Each structure stands twice: as structure tokens, then as C-alpha cells.
Amino acid sequence: MPPRKELCRNFMRGSCQYGERCKFLHAAQQQPKQNPFGFGSQSSNFQSTNVQQTKSNPFGFGVQNNSQPRGFNDFGPKQNQYKPFENKWTRSASTNSSSSRQPDNQPVAPNHTCTDPESCRRQIVEDFNNEKPLWLLTCYGHRKNGPCDITGDVSYEELRAAAYDDAKRGQSLTYIVERERSMVNSKVAEFENLLRNPYASPSTSAPNAQSPFSGATPSASSNAQSPFPGATPNASFSGQSNFPPSASSFSQLGAILNTGASTPPSAFGQPSPLGNSFKTSNSSAANPFSFGNPSAAGSLGFGTQVATQSSQNPFALSNTVGSSGRNPFSTSTTSPHFPNPSGGQLPSVTASPLSINLTSATSTPDFSGDNSIWTKEWKIGEIPEEAPPDRYVY
Amino acid sequence: MSIFGSTASANTNPNKSTEVQQPPADSVTSLCFSPKANLLVATSWDNQVRCWEVMGSGTNIGTVPKAAISHEQPVLCSAWKDDGTTVFSGGCDKQVKMWPLSGSQPVTIAMHDAPVRELAWIPEMNLLVTGSWDKTLRYWDLRQQNPVHIQQLPERCYALTVKHPLMVAGTADKNLIVFNLQNPQTEFKRIPSPLKYQTRCLAAFPDQQGFLVGSIEGRVGVHHLDDSLQGKNFTFKCHREGNDIYSVNSLNFHPTHGTFATAGSDGAFNFWDKDSKQRLKAMSRCSQPIPCSAFNNDGSIYAYAVCYDWSKGAENHNPSTAKTYIYLHFPQESDVKGKPRIGGSSSRK
């Protein structure tokens, strides 16, 4: 029976659960809508092998392997029964399976619609249990194709750039690690809050506004588990032989660094741990302190690095900006130095809460951009004069 | 999890990929091949932009370092001009340098207010587009000092992909903004990301019908632009090991086959065919994450870097023992050529 003339929105998104019974029209949009872009109007030369090329398709689309527009029908055994998200492509047992396609019949949760807080909460719980990534400084939205529930993304590069900047300014690794840790803690707290109140604003009006650690859940603050839970398989990223094998917790590492490099100048000037590390590193061609270590040990590292490389400097510079084979930082005056953890295990260090450095998300669900100053990754010299308003501080 | 080799100096790559000589001293942020020759450029946290030539063939492939330039701060992105003569690089110094490899000095041609995270050369428009953490995209004509156009983004730019006239910018907080480069001053569409966590990388389909988006949650979304093709959208999981969910750091389409590769923080890279929805080849995990990768112009070489990407924070960075590698993988035809779909059952071949 003819459905109402309206096109089914769910079907177009690929996730209509009614299938044949659906009240709305299941069809590709028929109007001769001009290809919105003119994409593909020059026929692409890449076509996949099993495609029949329909070059003069009025839409200018190269038709992919299905001639019908509703391609996803073909891959699931039943029409509209399997959501397109379902094809898991999970790794099968053997690592070398060449065609491990698995249209796993596990039903994937249908596209979540926020009909009631309970289902939202269930979705969130499920996500946090099954889909929790190793990187925690992230935004999150429980709805695919929906807006973020938690904002305040920090990317790897931003964090790294901030760390390198700090090191350049002479901050110790302890400081950097603690700063990162407090960011993670506050982010973890945001996630926990979301779990508790899926519909409330992500950040709470926590009375303990100052310290990130008291505001965070116990699991975040006091345990030995690193907020980067994957840190235990630190060993899997081998090559860090200097690292204490179980330095999977920030606190331990912080302690190590505390004794090893309590103040930046001492970190620079420290002969023994640095010296040792330089010796070991000399044998490898890699320049350990890539930021340019101004101390004597540092220049030794650079010097020997050049020596251990092949005799001629292959990187013949086309300009005179620095001699790249030697000190890539010839132009920089204060070279950042990443203090080297000297090894050994020590009791945990108490961290100084960097309350002004928190990156709690805003409380407004609109995730307005003006609050981003308190959630962004910091740049050089960007220390606000005043502490952030309470609602940004945990 | 397996540990593939540690600090041995011999090539310990589990995939037996060719090692690039004299890799950067610190982690690599981007890799790109010249569109005209087998010249590889890598940018790194050690502030350098390096160029190698890949020579030889068969079993006798070698890499020869050719040249390098410096920035003042870590370099985050790079691109070649379409004629293969010039390299653009941008980074934490908020500038973009243009480096004509023929021996002239690099020139600063673009500036932002915050580090430049992504850039791309658009041959059809003769413009360079740069994306930065200052929440703008800027278009540059190389002869002018000021940008031709500044496009505001809702958030910091994290990823960018260009396949004229399609351009997609991914920003923080999961925004995906599609531009029609025939009308670059307006956003064509803002797409809510099909993924739930931070966007990490993007790749436009070679036929510009859509794009891939990768996130930190070990998932890639395949998204088509046209409304009638929305049924073909899907996401799939990858780069996961047990309960560990790694991020997908790099998405690269093969230049001719239409298949693509993903590389992740788990140190593995895989080849996939989105049309038949198959994984074509899973490669062995390396001991460190793969932050970036690139195909060369004909797809015969897949370069990838193996080095720490900060996915576990500063605490896991040990500069004295950190090693950076760049490897070249020569994919077999069967690894990267699309396969017809297996008939509906879930049997494996």
C-alpha cells in the first residue's frame, strides 16, 4: 500500500527498523537534484573492480558496486534489518586473514534516539564499558550523528605541544605530567557526572571547586592506576628501557622525576643520569634530547650524534637556518629539555593541584565557544591572571 | 600484547618493511610523497622537515636523505605542490614555509594565530589551504601576503582532507564541515560525526562522493554526501586489541584502487575495501604507535612512521630511549586491490 508520500527519514539514514512495513516511502530521492557539488562529474578513474561504470549518470555520481542507490540492502541479508553500523570488521583470530569480513549477526544497538533518560543512560553506560578509548581527553556524544555531551577536546598534538613548550620554559617533567594528570582527572570527573546525570549539564556545581583531586572520584585520584589505563602495557611500546617497568602511575613517575630532576636547572646540570643516558643513546643514532640541550651534556649528545651518523651530513641544508645535522635549535635560545627519568621506584609524590589549569567543560549544553578559553590547551605564556570562574573548576 | 623487538639496531619491523635511513630525531607528525617522484617528506617534533629519495626497485630499495629545513618549533603538517617542486610545511611556530627543493631558501608564506595543524595544496585553485588551532581555515595565494579568505570554524581544526571540489574539515568536539571548493566562502554542510569521540583523521573518497572519518575510539566512519546514498553509510571498528581501544591516526586512499589504509596507535596498519566492506590485509603490529602514513603517487609504496604519538601522555615519553622510525611497505597487489564481495554468508575464504 502506498505509504504517505513523505520519504522515510530513517531509511535515508540507513536505519529504518520497519522495513517493508514502514509508513513512509523507502526510496532514494528521485528528484533530479543536481549533484550538489558536481562531485564526480569528471568520471573518476579509480572505480573499484566490481563496478559497472555508468559514466553519464545524470547525478554525476560514479555508481559504486551496487547499481541500486540503496546499496546497503545488499550487504545485509535482510532489507533494513541490519543497521549499516553493524558490519564490524573485527579482527578474526588469525592476523593474516585476508578477507575477514564478518557480517556479525550481533545486533548493534539501533540508532539511539533520546526518547527517555533511561535509554540515554543505558547507551552511555554501554559506551563507557565497551567503547572507552585509551585517550581520555576527548569530547563525547552518546548519540551518533548527535551533538557532544561532553566538550573540551584535547588532541595528542596539542598536549604534546604544551608539554614541549613547558619543557622549553624549563618546567620539569613532573610539572608537565602533573598538569596532564589533572586535566585527565577533571575530564574523567566530567564523564562520571554525565553517567550520573545524562540529561543534566555535564559539569556539576561541585562544592570542592579548587582541587581537582578531591573533586575527582577516588579511582581517579588515589589509586595506582594511571589515568591512561593503557600505560601498563607500556612495556608493549618497548624501547623505554630506562623506564621503571612498573611506572604505570603518574604518581610514581612524578616521584622519580622529583628526585631525579627536582628543579629545572638541576635537571639540566645533572651529570650522572643524563650522562648515562647519553652514553646509551650515543650508540643509537637518534638524538635523545631533540629539543636541544644547552648543557654540556646536551651538546655532547648532539656532537656525538653527528659523529655516529654517516660521515657526511646528508641533510645538506638549502639554507643557512641552523645546521640541521647538529643542533636543530640553533635559533632557539632557551632550549627545552625533557628531563630524563632516572629510573628507580619511589613512593608517590603529592601533586600540586593546578587548579587554574583545569579543562572542565562548560555547563551550558550549547557548548558555546566563548568558554573555550578555559577548556583549551594552553599556549606559550598564556597563563590567565585570574582563576577561572567556579563553574570551570572542579 | 606482543613486543616486536626493542632497542636492537637491526631492523626489527615485524612486517619486514624497509627502514628509511636517518629518520628524524623525534616523532614524525606527517609524511607525504611527491606527486611526481618517489621523494618522501617527513615533518617531525624535532622541528625539521626532511626529504629522502627512494631509489632502486625490487629487493634493492634504498632511501637516500636529500635535504632538510628547519622551523623554529615542531612541524605538524606538510604537503607537496602538484608539480612536485615545492614542499609546504607548517607547525607550532604558527607559520607555513614554502620550500622549493631546488636549493632556494624556504619562505614563510602563511601565518595563523595558533599552530598550524593541517594544510593542503589545491591545484585546481592554485591555493594553499591551512587549518589551525586558532579555529580558522585560511586560503593563501602564494604571491600575496594576506590570505585570500579566512574561514571561521566552530572549533580548532584537527583534520583536513581535500579532493577538489570536496573539502572536509574536522574540528574539536566532533564537528565535520564540508566545503564545496567552488564556493569556498560558505560551509556546504555541517555533518554530525557518526562517531562518538574525538575526530582524529579524515580522508575524502577519490571520487568525492564522501569521506572517511577516523576517531580515537578505534572506529572509522564511512560517510556519503548525497542524501540518497545515506544508506551506504556505516562505521566499523578497527585497531582494537582485547579491551584496549586505540585511535585511528591516519587514513589514506590508495591512489588507483580506491581501497584505503588505516594506521593506528596500536602500531598496526590495515588495508580495507569499503565497497565490499572487507579488510583486505591486516599487518603485524609494530612496537610503537603509527602516527602518520602516506601512499606514494602510484600506490606502490606505503610509508608509515613508527614512533610515540603521545597517546599515553607525557609520562610515557622517554626522550633518551625514544626511537623514531619511518618504514616503507611495498603492498602486494592483493593487499590493496578491491575484492568483490563474498556472497551474503559469513564464511571466511
Side-chain angles (χ1 to χ4, degrees):
Chain A
M1 82 167 148
R4 301 192 213 152
K5 290 306 182 183
E6 243 182 287
L7 289 167
C8 175
R9 266 186 249 148
N10 280 333
F11 174 76
M12 296 214 293
R13 279 199 299 245
S15 57
C16 176
Q17 40 191 356
Y18 293 104
E20 307 276 45
R21 310 176 280 141
C22 184
K23 282 190 276 194
F24 295 89
L25 194 55
H26 277 195
Q29 271 186 331
Q30 301 290 357
Q31 52 271 39
K33 185 161 70 165
Q34 263 316 329
N35 182 344
F37 267 23
F39 284 160
S41 41
Q42 62 260 39
S43 63
S44 52
N45 43 12
F46 92 86
Q47 300 285 350
S48 41
T49 50
N50 50 352
V51 166
Q52 62 259 51
Q53 301 202 14
T54 57
K55 265 197 187 176
S56 49
N57 183 330
F59 295 132
F61 296 152
V63 173
Q64 299 308 325
N65 51 349
N66 306 305
S67 38
Q68 339 161 21
R70 39 174 130 162
F72 96 97
N73 269 353
D74 288 339
F75 90 84
K78 298 195 182 116
Q79 175 188 351
N80 289 350
Q81 191 103 356
Y82 293 121
K83 312 306 178 225
F85 306 115
E86 175 171 358
N87 191 329
K88 283 196 172 43
W89 297 24
T90 48
R91 261 175 98 152
S92 49
S94 90
T95 50
N96 271 345
S97 61
S98 57
S99 54
S100 53
R101 168 171 175 259
Q102 301 174 8
D104 260 350
N105 288 350
Q106 292 175 35
V108 167
N111 224 358
H112 168 82
T113 48
C114 292
T115 45
D116 69 290
E118 258 319 294
S119 77
C120 287
R121 175 194 238 112
R122 270 198 304 268
Q123 178 73 51
I124 293 176
V125 167
E126 190 187 313
D127 281 345
F128 288 3
N129 289 337
N130 303 339
E131 295 272 319
K132 192 159 191 171
L134 290 170
W135 180 254
L136 295 172
L137 292 168
T138 171
C139 61
Y140 168 69
H142 74 283
R143 249 179 299 155
K144 302 191 195 199
N145 304 312
C148 287
D149 300 311
I150 294 179
T151 54
D153 248 343
V154 178
S155 66
Y156 300 173
E157 290 76 25
E158 286 171 300
L159 203 65
R160 189 170 192 159
Y164 278 39
D165 283 342
D166 280 346
K168 230 191 268 196
R169 276 185 307 213
Q171 303 283 5
S172 68
L173 188 51
T174 324
Y175 169 88
I176 294 168
V177 167
E178 286 308 324
R179 181 174 58 73
E180 291 187 355
R181 174 184 169 196
S182 72
M183 287 170 71
V184 172
N185 286 341
S186 63
K187 191 53 98 174
V188 168
E190 271 184 61
F191 273 81
E192 310 256 328
N193 277 330
L194 182 66
L195 198 54
R196 272 179 261 139
N197 313 311
Y199 271 166
S201 39
S203 79
T204 67
S205 51
N208 37 7
Q210 287 312 312
S211 163
F213 302 112
S214 49
T217 62
S219 65
S221 57
S222 63
N223 71 345
Q225 210 170 10
S226 164
F228 288 106
T232 316
N234 182 12
S236 73
F237 294 123
S238 61
Q240 299 180 359
S241 46
N242 274 359
F243 247 73
S246 60
S248 56
S249 73
F250 274 125
S251 54
Q252 277 193 349
L253 178 60
I256 293 156
L257 299 169
N258 239 358
T259 59
S262 49
T263 65
S266 68
F268 276 121
Q270 260 190 1
S272 44
L274 292 185
N276 287 338
S277 64
F278 272 116
K279 289 195 180 56
T280 56
S281 66
N282 284 347
S283 56
S284 75
N287 177 5
F289 288 81
S290 57
F291 323 152
N293 191 330
S295 70
S299 48
L300 171 66
F302 276 105
T304 52
Q305 180 217 358
V306 173
T308 54
Q309 284 179 352
S310 61
S311 46
Q312 70 278 24
N313 181 359
F315 291 97
L317 279 188
S318 53
N319 63 349
T320 54
V321 176
S323 46
S324 80
R326 298 169 172 269
N327 185 350
F329 283 72
S330 56
T331 51
S332 72
T333 52
T334 62
S335 313
H337 164 68
F338 237 135
N340 185 26
S342 50
Q345 313 199 12
L346 296 156
S348 56
V349 70
T350 53
S352 50
L354 304 164
S355 55
I356 57 174
N357 204 1
L358 295 180
T359 59
S360 21
T362 91
S363 52
T364 64
D366 295 337
F367 315 116
S368 59
D370 342 49
N371 301 315
S372 63
I373 183 171
W374 299 118
T375 59
K376 70 174 183 189
E377 187 61 27
W378 285 28
K379 317 290 183 293
I380 306 175
E382 263 190 3
I383 304 175
E385 301 295 341
E386 70 280 359
D390 277 345
R391 56 190 179 109
Y392 299 110
V393 174
Y394 266 98
Chain B
M1 46 235 110
S2 42
I3 302 176
F4 292 103
S6 53
T7 50
S9 48
N11 185 354
T12 54
N13 186 288
N15 297 301
K16 309 247 187 302
S17 303
T18 305
E19 196 170 334
V20 167
Q21 295 304 308
Q22 290 168 28
D26 204 350
S27 294
V28 179
T29 49
S30 76
L31 287 170
C32 57
F33 274 98
S34 162
K36 298 289 183 201
N38 276 345
L39 293 169
L40 173 65
V41 155
T43 59
S44 163
W45 285 93
D46 70 355
N47 303 11
Q48 304 282 301
V49 182
R50 290 181 166 83
C51 180
W52 293 262
E53 184 169 354
V54 182
M55 318 183 93
S57 61
T59 49
N60 219 3
I61 301 244
T63 51
V64 177
K66 297 292 268 186
I69 60 164
S70 282
H71 282 242
E72 312 263 317
Q73 294 198 48
V75 193
L76 298 178
C77 51
S78 59
W80 284 82
K81 201 150 174 276
D82 56 325
D83 54 7
T85 60
T86 311
V87 173
F88 302 101
S89 54
C92 295
D93 56 1
K94 310 177 198 170
Q95 299 175 0
V96 175
K97 288 199 199 292
M98 173 172 80
W99 177 25
L101 290 158
S102 55
S104 345
Q105 304 245 0
V107 179
T108 298
I109 52 156
M111 304 258 343
H112 271 267
D113 302 322
V116 181
R117 175 68 185 96
E118 284 281 1
L119 52 77
W121 172 253
I122 312 173
E124 295 84 352
M125 300 166 76
N126 237 11
L127 293 178
L128 181 72
V129 60
T130 55
S132 159
W133 292 336
D134 67 358
K135 306 188 192 177
T136 63
L137 285 178
R138 297 187 189 190
Y139 296 83
W140 306 87
D141 179 330
L142 303 178
R143 298 159 296 189
Q144 294 175 23
Q145 224 180 13
N146 289 324
V148 172
H149 175 62
I150 299 182
Q151 179 69 36
Q152 285 298 324
L153 293 172
E155 254 289 356
R156 298 152 279 163
C157 179
Y158 279 177
L160 186 66
T161 178
V162 177
K163 243 330 172 266
H164 191 80
L166 168 62
M167 180 169 81
V168 188
T171 72
D173 295 343
K174 289 207 303 157
N175 297 298
L176 295 174
I177 306 164
V178 180
F179 291 89
N180 177 356
L181 287 173
Q182 288 154 353
N183 192 7
Q185 317 225 356
T186 50
E187 295 181 9
F188 176 74
K189 213 194 249 194
R190 227 181 244 206
I191 295 183
S193 169
L195 308 171
K196 296 191 178 184
Y197 292 87
Q198 186 182 124
T199 303
R200 187 86 184 113
C201 49
L202 284 169
F205 294 179
D207 63 356
Q208 309 114 36
Q209 298 302 300
F211 58 92
L212 304 170
V213 51
S215 76
I216 60 162
E217 79 218 62
R219 211 179 256 280
V220 172
V222 179
H223 188 90
H224 297 81
L225 287 170
D226 189 60
D227 288 338
S228 66
L229 295 177
Q230 294 304 300
K232 294 178 80 175
N233 294 348
F234 63 95
T235 70
F236 64 93
K237 297 196 275 203
C238 50
H239 297 288
R240 297 182 177 202
E241 174 93 8
N243 285 332
D244 291 334
I245 296 181
Y246 295 90
S247 82
V248 180
N249 288 330
S250 182
L251 290 166
N252 305 96
F253 270 97
H254 190 277
T256 52
H257 291 312
T259 54
F260 64 95
T262 62
S265 289
D266 57 345
F269 58 101
N270 302 302
F271 297 104
W272 310 83
D273 180 353
K274 66 173 168 65
D275 301 311
S276 60
K277 301 199 198 225
Q278 300 180 57
R279 177 167 61 189
L280 298 168
K281 182 80 183 191
M283 307 302 295
S284 306
R285 289 180 61 190
C286 301
S287 54
Q288 294 185 88
I290 300 179
C292 52
S293 57
F295 275 107
N296 71 337
N297 55 358
D298 61 8
S300 56
I301 310 178
Y302 178 75
Y304 60 100
V306 174
C307 48
Y308 186 48
D309 60 355
W310 220 254
S311 48
K312 297 186 172 175
E315 67 162 358
N316 283 299
H317 178 60
N318 186 345
S320 63
T321 59
K323 294 215 185 307
T324 298
Y325 301 97
I326 302 178
Y327 291 107
L328 303 179
H329 174 75
F330 302 94
Q332 315 254 5
E333 193 68 2
S334 57
D335 294 346
V336 286
K337 197 160 170 160
K339 292 202 169 78
R341 261 217 319 271
I342 320 175
S345 65
S346 54
S347 59
R348 288 182 23 208
K349 272 198 185 150

